[in-house]
Short mmCIF file of all heavy atoms in Angstrom, two decimals:
data_model
loop_
_atom_site.label_atom_id
_atom_site.label_comp_id
_atom_site.label_asym_id
_atom_site.label_seq_id
_atom_site.Cartn_x
_atom_site.Cartn_y
_atom_site.Cartn_z
N ASP A 1 -6.99 2.49 -10.19
CA ASP A 1 -7.96 1.62 -9.53
C ASP A 1 -8.01 1.78 -8.01
O ASP A 1 -9.08 1.59 -7.40
CB ASP A 1 -7.64 0.16 -9.81
CG ASP A 1 -7.88 -0.21 -11.27
OD1 ASP A 1 -8.54 0.59 -12.00
OD2 ASP A 1 -7.43 -1.28 -11.71
N LEU A 2 -6.89 2.09 -7.39
CA LEU A 2 -6.82 2.06 -5.93
C LEU A 2 -6.59 3.39 -5.23
O LEU A 2 -6.67 3.48 -3.99
CB LEU A 2 -5.71 1.07 -5.47
CG LEU A 2 -5.85 -0.35 -5.93
CD1 LEU A 2 -4.63 -1.18 -5.45
CD2 LEU A 2 -7.11 -0.98 -5.45
N ALA A 3 -6.29 4.44 -5.96
CA ALA A 3 -5.98 5.74 -5.34
C ALA A 3 -7.19 6.22 -4.51
O ALA A 3 -8.32 6.31 -5.01
CB ALA A 3 -5.61 6.75 -6.35
N GLY A 4 -6.98 6.55 -3.30
CA GLY A 4 -8.00 7.13 -2.37
C GLY A 4 -9.01 6.14 -1.88
O GLY A 4 -10.01 6.50 -1.26
N LYS A 5 -8.83 4.85 -2.18
CA LYS A 5 -9.77 3.83 -1.70
C LYS A 5 -9.25 3.09 -0.49
O LYS A 5 -8.04 2.97 -0.29
CB LYS A 5 -10.05 2.80 -2.79
CG LYS A 5 -10.78 3.36 -3.99
CD LYS A 5 -11.05 2.30 -5.00
CE LYS A 5 -11.79 2.84 -6.22
NZ LYS A 5 -11.98 1.85 -7.21
N PHE A 6 -10.20 2.58 0.33
CA PHE A 6 -9.83 1.72 1.46
C PHE A 6 -9.55 0.31 0.85
O PHE A 6 -10.42 -0.23 0.20
CB PHE A 6 -10.91 1.69 2.48
CG PHE A 6 -10.67 0.79 3.64
CD1 PHE A 6 -9.83 1.13 4.63
CD2 PHE A 6 -11.24 -0.49 3.62
CE1 PHE A 6 -9.56 0.26 5.67
CE2 PHE A 6 -10.99 -1.37 4.65
CZ PHE A 6 -10.15 -0.99 5.72
N GLN A 7 -8.36 -0.20 1.13
CA GLN A 7 -7.99 -1.52 0.61
C GLN A 7 -8.03 -2.54 1.71
O GLN A 7 -7.49 -2.36 2.78
CB GLN A 7 -6.54 -1.42 0.00
CG GLN A 7 -6.46 -0.39 -1.09
CD GLN A 7 -5.02 -0.09 -1.39
OE1 GLN A 7 -4.13 -0.84 -1.11
NE2 GLN A 7 -4.83 1.09 -1.99
N GLY A 8 -8.67 -3.65 1.44
CA GLY A 8 -8.85 -4.73 2.44
C GLY A 8 -8.25 -6.02 1.94
O GLY A 8 -8.32 -6.34 0.77
N CYS A 9 -7.69 -6.76 2.84
CA CYS A 9 -7.19 -8.08 2.57
C CYS A 9 -7.40 -8.97 3.79
O CYS A 9 -7.88 -8.55 4.81
CB CYS A 9 -5.70 -8.02 2.19
SG CYS A 9 -4.62 -7.68 3.54
N THR A 10 -6.96 -10.22 3.66
CA THR A 10 -7.21 -11.15 4.77
C THR A 10 -5.99 -11.36 5.64
O THR A 10 -5.97 -12.26 6.44
CB THR A 10 -7.57 -12.52 4.17
OG1 THR A 10 -6.60 -12.97 3.22
CG2 THR A 10 -8.92 -12.45 3.45
N CYS A 11 -4.94 -10.51 5.51
CA CYS A 11 -3.79 -10.57 6.36
C CYS A 11 -4.11 -10.09 7.73
O CYS A 11 -5.22 -9.59 8.00
CB CYS A 11 -2.62 -9.77 5.77
SG CYS A 11 -2.08 -10.29 4.15
N MET A 12 -3.18 -10.25 8.66
CA MET A 12 -3.37 -9.76 10.01
C MET A 12 -3.52 -8.27 9.98
O MET A 12 -2.57 -7.57 9.51
CB MET A 12 -2.21 -10.20 10.90
CG MET A 12 -2.12 -11.69 11.04
SD MET A 12 -0.59 -12.24 11.84
CE MET A 12 -0.77 -11.62 13.48
N PRO A 13 -4.58 -7.66 10.49
CA PRO A 13 -4.80 -6.21 10.30
C PRO A 13 -3.78 -5.32 11.07
O PRO A 13 -3.59 -4.24 10.65
CB PRO A 13 -6.23 -6.03 10.85
CG PRO A 13 -6.48 -7.20 11.71
CD PRO A 13 -5.65 -8.36 11.19
N GLU A 14 -3.22 -5.80 12.14
CA GLU A 14 -2.32 -4.96 12.90
C GLU A 14 -0.90 -4.97 12.40
O GLU A 14 -0.05 -4.29 12.96
CB GLU A 14 -2.36 -5.30 14.38
CG GLU A 14 -1.86 -6.73 14.70
CD GLU A 14 -2.93 -7.80 14.63
OE1 GLU A 14 -4.08 -7.49 14.24
OE2 GLU A 14 -2.59 -8.95 14.95
N HIS A 15 -0.61 -5.71 11.34
CA HIS A 15 0.79 -5.80 10.85
C HIS A 15 0.85 -5.33 9.41
O HIS A 15 -0.14 -5.28 8.69
CB HIS A 15 1.27 -7.24 10.97
CG HIS A 15 1.32 -7.76 12.34
ND1 HIS A 15 2.19 -7.28 13.28
CD2 HIS A 15 0.52 -8.67 12.98
CE1 HIS A 15 1.95 -7.87 14.45
NE2 HIS A 15 1.00 -8.75 14.27
N ILE A 16 2.06 -4.95 9.04
CA ILE A 16 2.27 -4.51 7.68
C ILE A 16 2.16 -5.68 6.68
O ILE A 16 2.61 -6.79 7.00
CB ILE A 16 3.72 -3.93 7.56
CG1 ILE A 16 3.79 -2.65 8.40
CG2 ILE A 16 4.10 -3.65 6.15
CD1 ILE A 16 5.16 -2.05 8.49
N CYS A 17 1.45 -5.44 5.56
CA CYS A 17 1.32 -6.51 4.57
C CYS A 17 1.41 -5.86 3.19
O CYS A 17 1.76 -4.72 3.06
CB CYS A 17 0.01 -7.35 4.79
SG CYS A 17 -1.45 -6.38 4.40
N HIS A 18 1.01 -6.66 2.16
CA HIS A 18 1.15 -6.13 0.81
C HIS A 18 0.24 -4.95 0.50
O HIS A 18 0.48 -4.23 -0.45
CB HIS A 18 0.84 -7.31 -0.19
CG HIS A 18 -0.54 -7.73 -0.26
ND1 HIS A 18 -1.16 -8.47 0.74
CD2 HIS A 18 -1.51 -7.50 -1.19
CE1 HIS A 18 -2.42 -8.71 0.43
NE2 HIS A 18 -2.66 -8.17 -0.78
N VAL A 19 -0.79 -4.75 1.31
CA VAL A 19 -1.66 -3.58 1.07
C VAL A 19 -0.91 -2.30 1.29
O VAL A 19 -1.15 -1.30 0.60
CB VAL A 19 -2.87 -3.67 2.09
CG1 VAL A 19 -3.67 -2.38 2.11
CG2 VAL A 19 -3.75 -4.86 1.73
N ASP A 20 0.07 -2.29 2.16
CA ASP A 20 0.85 -1.08 2.41
C ASP A 20 1.71 -0.73 1.17
O ASP A 20 1.86 0.45 0.87
CB ASP A 20 1.76 -1.27 3.66
CG ASP A 20 0.91 -1.48 4.93
OD1 ASP A 20 0.09 -0.67 5.20
OD2 ASP A 20 1.14 -2.53 5.55
N THR A 21 2.18 -1.73 0.50
CA THR A 21 2.95 -1.46 -0.71
C THR A 21 2.01 -0.93 -1.81
O THR A 21 2.35 0.06 -2.49
CB THR A 21 3.58 -2.78 -1.23
OG1 THR A 21 4.42 -3.33 -0.22
CG2 THR A 21 4.44 -2.51 -2.47
N LEU A 22 0.82 -1.50 -1.92
CA LEU A 22 -0.12 -1.00 -2.94
C LEU A 22 -0.61 0.40 -2.59
O LEU A 22 -0.75 1.26 -3.46
CB LEU A 22 -1.31 -1.96 -3.00
CG LEU A 22 -1.05 -3.34 -3.60
CD1 LEU A 22 -2.28 -4.27 -3.42
CD2 LEU A 22 -0.67 -3.20 -5.03
N ALA A 23 -0.83 0.68 -1.30
CA ALA A 23 -1.24 2.03 -0.89
C ALA A 23 -0.16 3.06 -1.18
O ALA A 23 -0.44 4.17 -1.58
CB ALA A 23 -1.63 2.02 0.57
N TYR A 24 1.09 2.63 -0.93
CA TYR A 24 2.22 3.55 -1.21
C TYR A 24 2.30 3.89 -2.70
O TYR A 24 2.50 5.08 -3.06
CB TYR A 24 3.53 2.85 -0.74
CG TYR A 24 4.73 3.69 -1.05
CD1 TYR A 24 5.11 4.72 -0.23
CD2 TYR A 24 5.51 3.42 -2.16
CE1 TYR A 24 6.28 5.47 -0.47
CE2 TYR A 24 6.66 4.16 -2.46
CZ TYR A 24 7.06 5.19 -1.58
OH TYR A 24 8.13 5.97 -1.86
N ILE A 25 2.10 2.90 -3.53
CA ILE A 25 2.15 3.14 -5.00
C ILE A 25 0.94 3.97 -5.45
O ILE A 25 1.09 4.92 -6.22
CB ILE A 25 2.23 1.81 -5.78
CG1 ILE A 25 3.53 1.09 -5.43
CG2 ILE A 25 2.08 2.01 -7.26
CD1 ILE A 25 3.58 -0.34 -5.94
N ALA A 26 -0.27 3.59 -4.91
CA ALA A 26 -1.47 4.29 -5.36
C ALA A 26 -1.49 5.76 -4.93
O ALA A 26 -2.04 6.57 -5.70
CB ALA A 26 -2.67 3.51 -4.81
N ASN A 27 -0.99 6.06 -3.83
CA ASN A 27 -1.14 7.42 -3.28
C ASN A 27 0.15 8.27 -3.37
O ASN A 27 0.27 9.28 -2.79
CB ASN A 27 -1.57 7.36 -1.82
CG ASN A 27 -2.92 6.72 -1.70
OD1 ASN A 27 -3.80 6.94 -2.52
ND2 ASN A 27 -3.10 5.88 -0.69
N ALA A 28 1.18 7.73 -4.08
CA ALA A 28 2.42 8.44 -4.20
C ALA A 28 2.25 9.64 -5.16
O ALA A 28 1.52 9.54 -6.12
CB ALA A 28 3.51 7.49 -4.75
N LYS A 29 2.93 10.71 -4.78
CA LYS A 29 2.89 11.90 -5.65
C LYS A 29 3.92 11.67 -6.73
O LYS A 29 5.09 11.41 -6.45
CB LYS A 29 3.24 13.14 -4.85
CG LYS A 29 2.37 13.42 -3.64
CD LYS A 29 1.09 13.97 -4.08
CE LYS A 29 0.28 14.41 -2.87
NZ LYS A 29 -1.02 13.90 -2.79
N GLY A 30 3.50 11.77 -7.98
CA GLY A 30 4.45 11.53 -9.08
C GLY A 30 4.70 10.05 -9.24
O GLY A 30 3.80 9.21 -9.11
N PHE A 31 5.92 9.70 -9.45
CA PHE A 31 6.30 8.28 -9.70
C PHE A 31 6.86 7.68 -8.43
O PHE A 31 7.73 8.31 -7.83
CB PHE A 31 7.29 8.20 -10.86
CG PHE A 31 7.75 6.82 -11.16
CD1 PHE A 31 6.85 5.86 -11.70
CD2 PHE A 31 9.03 6.44 -10.89
CE1 PHE A 31 7.28 4.59 -11.96
CE2 PHE A 31 9.45 5.13 -11.17
CZ PHE A 31 8.54 4.20 -11.75
N ALA A 32 6.39 6.56 -8.02
CA ALA A 32 6.91 5.85 -6.83
C ALA A 32 8.16 5.11 -7.19
O ALA A 32 8.13 3.93 -7.48
CB ALA A 32 5.85 4.95 -6.22
N ALA A 33 9.28 5.84 -7.30
CA ALA A 33 10.50 5.25 -7.83
C ALA A 33 11.13 4.26 -6.89
O ALA A 33 11.76 3.32 -7.34
CB ALA A 33 11.50 6.37 -8.12
N HIS A 34 10.99 4.42 -5.64
CA HIS A 34 11.65 3.56 -4.70
C HIS A 34 10.60 2.80 -3.90
O HIS A 34 9.59 3.31 -3.53
CB HIS A 34 12.54 4.34 -3.71
CG HIS A 34 13.56 5.12 -4.42
ND1 HIS A 34 14.63 4.55 -4.97
CD2 HIS A 34 13.68 6.48 -4.69
CE1 HIS A 34 15.42 5.47 -5.55
NE2 HIS A 34 14.83 6.65 -5.38
N PRO A 35 10.88 1.50 -3.56
CA PRO A 35 9.98 0.74 -2.74
C PRO A 35 9.89 1.39 -1.34
O PRO A 35 10.81 2.06 -0.93
CB PRO A 35 10.57 -0.62 -2.67
CG PRO A 35 11.87 -0.63 -3.34
CD PRO A 35 12.02 0.72 -4.04
N PRO A 36 8.74 1.21 -0.66
CA PRO A 36 8.66 1.77 0.69
C PRO A 36 9.70 1.14 1.60
O PRO A 36 10.18 0.06 1.43
CB PRO A 36 7.25 1.38 1.11
CG PRO A 36 6.80 0.30 0.22
CD PRO A 36 7.59 0.46 -1.08
N LEU A 37 10.08 1.91 2.62
CA LEU A 37 11.11 1.46 3.55
C LEU A 37 10.64 0.21 4.21
O LEU A 37 9.52 0.18 4.73
CB LEU A 37 11.40 2.57 4.53
CG LEU A 37 12.04 3.83 3.97
CD1 LEU A 37 12.16 4.87 5.10
CD2 LEU A 37 13.40 3.53 3.38
#
C-alpha cells in the first residue's frame, strides 16, 4: 500500500513521527527485521 508513495500525517512536519517508521518498513529491501534507529 505505501511503497514509493508520499505519506502525509498531521504531526509536526519538521520532526520524526510514525510516518518515518512506516516509510522504513515500506521501502526496506527484503524484510525490515529491526526497528529503525
Side-chain angles (χ1 to χ4, degrees):
D1 292 347
L2 301 178
K5 293 183 180 175
F6 176 79
Q7 301 165 22
C9 72
T10 57
C11 297
M12 296 170 66
E14 64 272 5
H15 299 292
I16 293 174
C17 70
H18 70 286
V19 171
D20 298 304
T21 305
L22 291 171
Y24 177 81
I25 295 168
N27 299 320
K29 303 282 189 232
F31 179 68
H34 301 288
L37 294 175

